[in-house]
mmCIF file of all heavy atoms in Angstrom:
data_model
loop_
_atom_site.group_PDB
_atom_site.id
_atom_site.type_symbol
_atom_site.label_atom_id
_atom_site.label_comp_id
_atom_site.label_asym_id
_atom_site.label_seq_id
_atom_site.Cartn_x
_atom_site.Cartn_y
_atom_site.Cartn_z
ATOM 1 N N PHE A 15 11.522 22.748 9.918
ATOM 2 C CA PHE A 15 10.879 22.160 8.742
ATOM 3 C C PHE A 15 11.858 21.230 8.030
ATOM 4 O O PHE A 15 11.502 20.104 7.675
ATOM 5 C CB PHE A 15 10.384 23.253 7.791
ATOM 6 C CG PHE A 15 9.776 22.711 6.525
ATOM 7 C CD1 PHE A 15 8.549 22.088 6.538
ATOM 8 C CD2 PHE A 15 10.445 22.829 5.316
ATOM 9 C CE1 PHE A 15 7.981 21.581 5.370
ATOM 10 C CE2 PHE A 15 9.894 22.335 4.148
ATOM 11 C CZ PHE A 15 8.661 21.711 4.179
ATOM 12 N N CYS A 16 13.079 21.672 7.838
ATOM 13 C CA CYS A 16 14.090 20.846 7.174
ATOM 14 C C CYS A 16 14.382 19.581 7.973
ATOM 15 O O CYS A 16 14.542 18.499 7.404
ATOM 16 C CB CYS A 16 15.370 21.643 6.945
ATOM 17 S SG CYS A 16 15.151 23.024 5.807
ATOM 18 N N HIS A 17 14.427 19.703 9.296
ATOM 19 C CA HIS A 17 14.653 18.530 10.139
ATOM 20 C C HIS A 17 13.489 17.536 10.024
ATOM 21 O O HIS A 17 13.702 16.323 9.983
ATOM 22 C CB HIS A 17 14.849 18.930 11.603
ATOM 23 C CG HIS A 17 16.164 19.596 11.856
ATOM 24 N ND1 HIS A 17 17.372 18.937 11.743
ATOM 25 C CD2 HIS A 17 16.461 20.861 12.219
ATOM 26 C CE1 HIS A 17 18.354 19.767 12.023
ATOM 27 N NE2 HIS A 17 17.828 20.953 12.311
ATOM 28 N N LYS A 18 12.267 18.059 9.954
ATOM 29 C CA LYS A 18 11.093 17.194 9.832
ATOM 30 C C LYS A 18 11.142 16.408 8.519
ATOM 31 O O LYS A 18 10.873 15.204 8.496
ATOM 32 C CB LYS A 18 9.821 18.048 9.895
ATOM 33 C CG LYS A 18 8.541 17.249 9.953
ATOM 34 C CD LYS A 18 7.315 18.151 9.975
ATOM 35 C CE LYS A 18 7.029 18.626 11.368
ATOM 36 N NZ LYS A 18 5.699 19.285 11.471
ATOM 37 N N ILE A 19 11.500 17.087 7.436
ATOM 38 C CA ILE A 19 11.601 16.420 6.132
ATOM 39 C C ILE A 19 12.752 15.421 6.145
ATOM 40 O O ILE A 19 12.615 14.291 5.672
ATOM 41 C CB ILE A 19 11.782 17.446 4.990
ATOM 42 C CG1 ILE A 19 10.604 18.417 4.937
ATOM 43 C CG2 ILE A 19 11.976 16.747 3.648
ATOM 44 C CD1 ILE A 19 9.253 17.787 4.727
ATOM 45 N N SER A 20 13.890 15.808 6.696
ATOM 46 C CA SER A 20 15.052 14.912 6.755
ATOM 47 C C SER A 20 14.730 13.640 7.531
ATOM 48 O O SER A 20 15.133 12.543 7.138
ATOM 49 C CB SER A 20 16.249 15.623 7.388
ATOM 50 O OG SER A 20 16.669 16.690 6.567
ATOM 51 N N LEU A 21 14.008 13.766 8.638
ATOM 52 C CA LEU A 21 13.624 12.596 9.429
ATOM 53 C C LEU A 21 12.712 11.677 8.622
ATOM 54 O O LEU A 21 12.893 10.450 8.625
ATOM 55 C CB LEU A 21 12.933 13.030 10.726
ATOM 56 C CG LEU A 21 12.432 11.897 11.625
ATOM 57 C CD1 LEU A 21 13.587 11.001 12.069
ATOM 58 C CD2 LEU A 21 11.704 12.468 12.823
ATOM 59 N N ALA A 22 11.747 12.262 7.909
ATOM 60 C CA ALA A 22 10.854 11.443 7.079
ATOM 61 C C ALA A 22 11.639 10.707 5.997
ATOM 62 O O ALA A 22 11.422 9.516 5.760
ATOM 63 C CB ALA A 22 9.767 12.323 6.449
ATOM 64 N N LEU A 23 12.575 11.397 5.348
ATOM 65 C CA LEU A 23 13.396 10.759 4.317
ATOM 66 C C LEU A 23 14.237 9.630 4.917
ATOM 67 O O LEU A 23 14.381 8.560 4.321
ATOM 68 C CB LEU A 23 14.297 11.789 3.631
ATOM 69 C CG LEU A 23 13.580 12.856 2.809
ATOM 70 C CD1 LEU A 23 14.577 13.897 2.325
ATOM 71 C CD2 LEU A 23 12.823 12.242 1.655
ATOM 72 N N ASP A 24 14.760 9.852 6.112
ATOM 73 C CA ASP A 24 15.558 8.832 6.792
ATOM 74 C C ASP A 24 14.723 7.593 7.122
ATOM 75 O O ASP A 24 15.246 6.483 7.161
ATOM 76 C CB ASP A 24 16.163 9.417 8.065
ATOM 77 C CG ASP A 24 17.172 8.489 8.709
ATOM 78 O OD1 ASP A 24 18.124 8.080 8.013
ATOM 79 O OD2 ASP A 24 16.998 8.171 9.908
ATOM 80 N N LYS A 25 13.419 7.781 7.326
ATOM 81 C CA LYS A 25 12.519 6.669 7.631
ATOM 82 C C LYS A 25 11.969 6.002 6.363
ATOM 83 O O LYS A 25 11.091 5.150 6.446
ATOM 84 C CB LYS A 25 11.356 7.151 8.492
ATOM 85 C CG LYS A 25 11.751 7.501 9.906
ATOM 86 C CD LYS A 25 10.520 7.881 10.713
ATOM 87 C CE LYS A 25 10.837 8.051 12.175
ATOM 88 N NZ LYS A 25 9.622 8.322 12.967
ATOM 89 N N GLY A 26 12.450 6.425 5.198
ATOM 90 C CA GLY A 26 12.047 5.777 3.957
ATOM 91 C C GLY A 26 10.951 6.473 3.176
ATOM 92 O O GLY A 26 10.534 5.986 2.128
ATOM 93 N N TRP A 27 10.454 7.622 3.654
ATOM 94 C CA TRP A 27 9.465 8.376 2.903
ATOM 95 C C TRP A 27 10.155 9.030 1.714
ATOM 96 O O TRP A 27 11.350 9.324 1.767
ATOM 97 C CB TRP A 27 8.819 9.440 3.788
ATOM 98 C CG TRP A 27 7.952 8.864 4.870
ATOM 99 C CD1 TRP A 27 8.365 8.407 6.076
ATOM 100 C CD2 TRP A 27 6.553 8.664 4.822
ATOM 101 N NE1 TRP A 27 7.298 7.941 6.797
ATOM 102 C CE2 TRP A 27 6.167 8.088 6.053
ATOM 103 C CE3 TRP A 27 5.567 8.920 3.878
ATOM 104 C CZ2 TRP A 27 4.840 7.762 6.337
ATOM 105 C CZ3 TRP A 27 4.249 8.606 4.167
ATOM 106 C CH2 TRP A 27 3.901 8.026 5.392
ATOM 107 N N GLU A 28 9.414 9.258 0.628
ATOM 108 C CA GLU A 28 9.960 9.887 -0.571
ATOM 109 C C GLU A 28 9.203 11.179 -0.850
ATOM 110 O O GLU A 28 7.990 11.259 -0.650
ATOM 111 C CB GLU A 28 9.830 8.953 -1.772
ATOM 112 C CG GLU A 28 10.647 7.684 -1.603
ATOM 113 C CD GLU A 28 10.552 6.763 -2.806
ATOM 114 O OE1 GLU A 28 10.002 7.194 -3.850
ATOM 115 O OE2 GLU A 28 11.015 5.635 -2.697
ATOM 116 N N LEU A 29 9.939 12.184 -1.326
ATOM 117 C CA LEU A 29 9.311 13.457 -1.673
ATOM 118 C C LEU A 29 8.284 13.233 -2.780
ATOM 119 O O LEU A 29 8.506 12.442 -3.693
ATOM 120 C CB LEU A 29 10.356 14.459 -2.149
ATOM 121 C CG LEU A 29 11.440 14.831 -1.145
ATOM 122 C CD1 LEU A 29 12.436 15.779 -1.804
ATOM 123 C CD2 LEU A 29 10.855 15.443 0.108
ATOM 124 N N TYR A 30 7.168 13.939 -2.687
ATOM 125 C CA TYR A 30 6.123 13.862 -3.695
ATOM 126 C C TYR A 30 5.792 15.289 -4.102
ATOM 127 O O TYR A 30 5.219 16.057 -3.330
ATOM 128 C CB TYR A 30 4.886 13.151 -3.135
ATOM 129 C CG TYR A 30 3.790 12.974 -4.138
ATOM 130 C CD1 TYR A 30 3.825 11.929 -5.049
ATOM 131 C CD2 TYR A 30 2.725 13.858 -4.187
ATOM 132 C CE1 TYR A 30 2.823 11.755 -5.983
ATOM 133 C CE2 TYR A 30 1.709 13.700 -5.117
ATOM 134 C CZ TYR A 30 1.763 12.653 -6.017
ATOM 135 O OH TYR A 30 0.775 12.496 -6.946
ATOM 136 N N GLY A 31 6.193 15.664 -5.296
ATOM 137 C CA GLY A 31 5.944 17.028 -5.759
ATOM 138 C C GLY A 31 6.937 18.010 -5.150
ATOM 139 O O GLY A 31 7.907 17.634 -4.503
#
Side-chain angles (χ1 to χ4, degrees):
F15 177 72
C16 295
H17 288 293
K18 187 182 277 191
I19 300 301
S20 295
L21 178 60
L23 294 173
D24 189 55
K25 289 184 172 184
W27 292 84
E28 296 181 10
L29 299 177
Y30 183 82

